[in-house]
Amino acid sequence: MVFIVVHTVYEVKELEIKLIDSDGKKFKLEYELSREELEIKFKDEIGIMDPKTVVDQLTLTPDITEEELIDQVKWVLGINTFSELKIEVEFVNGKELEVNKEADKDKNDKDTDEDAMNKRLWHNNRSTIENSRCVWN
């Protein structure tokens, strides 16, 4: 049995995410798609194992709202709060979206660091299963 990932972000030309979580840990991802290659640069202090997984799990379309974009990034990174968040997206159709937010604090959210890590691990495994198909030889 062979698993092939079929989910792509073909609508996104460039993506940059800069985040400082509520503990001061930093995450930065730069994604650029050109005709010749896909380039992903990434620095991580919050425990993301694979930057390509982050990009693949985001469902970015030119009609996405700022709030939807923030929610998706938080969900994919497995965080609930942040001190600073900057997101820049350029779509292949030329549309751009930029988000700059500070101090997102959810007073009702009492997730521990372990809970956040478990969410990330569960999400990564779920995404691989949902976005894969089986090919029989």
Side-chain angles (χ1 to χ4, degrees):
M1 188 178 334
V2 178
F3 290 96
I4 301 169
V5 176
V6 295
H7 180 76
T8 62
V9 290
Y10 64 91
E11 293 187 87
V12 176
K13 182 177 177 183
E14 293 183 23
L15 170 66
E16 184 173 347
I17 301 171
K18 293 180 181 178
L19 173 117
I20 300 174
D21 74 7
S22 55
D23 295 326
K25 295 178 182 176
K26 298 177 182 179
F27 175 84
K28 180 179 180 180
L29 179 134
E30 295 177 14
Y31 164 99
E32 185 174 350
L33 177 65
S34 69
R35 289 182 181 216
E36 297 82 33
E37 66 184 7
L38 167 64
E39 182 178 4
I40 299 176
K41 296 178 186 176
F42 130 102
K43 293 181 182 178
D44 174 44
E45 295 176 0
I46 64 173
I48 301 298
M49 302 300 173
D50 180 14
K52 180 88 169 78
T53 301
V54 171
V55 173
D56 287 345
Q57 291 176 351
L58 293 170
T59 307
L60 305 177
T61 61
D63 61 340
I64 193 169
T65 66
E66 185 176 305
E67 190 63 35
E68 290 170 331
L69 180 58
I70 292 169
D71 288 346
Q72 277 197 43
V73 168
K74 287 171 57 176
W75 183 68
V76 167
L77 296 179
I79 63 164
N80 297 307
T81 61
F82 56 83
S83 296
E84 294 179 35
L85 177 63
K86 180 179 180 181
I87 308 168
E88 295 179 10
V89 184
E90 181 182 343
F91 296 93
V92 293
N93 69 359
K95 184 174 179 184
E96 296 181 7
L97 180 60
E98 186 172 328
V99 173
N100 286 299
K101 291 281 186 182
E102 291 188 18
D104 175 46
K105 304 207 185 274
D106 185 350
K107 295 175 186 168
N108 296 323
D109 197 345
K110 297 185 182 356
D111 278 353
T112 63
D113 288 339
E114 184 178 340
D115 292 336
M117 178 60 84
N118 287 335
K119 283 181 184 178
R120 262 197 299 275
L121 291 173
W122 178 84
H123 177 71
N124 288 344
N125 290 335
R126 189 177 85 55
S127 177
T128 301
I129 292 168
E130 286 178 352
N131 295 318
S132 299
R133 63 183 170 95
C134 181
V135 177
W136 297 92
N137 293 338

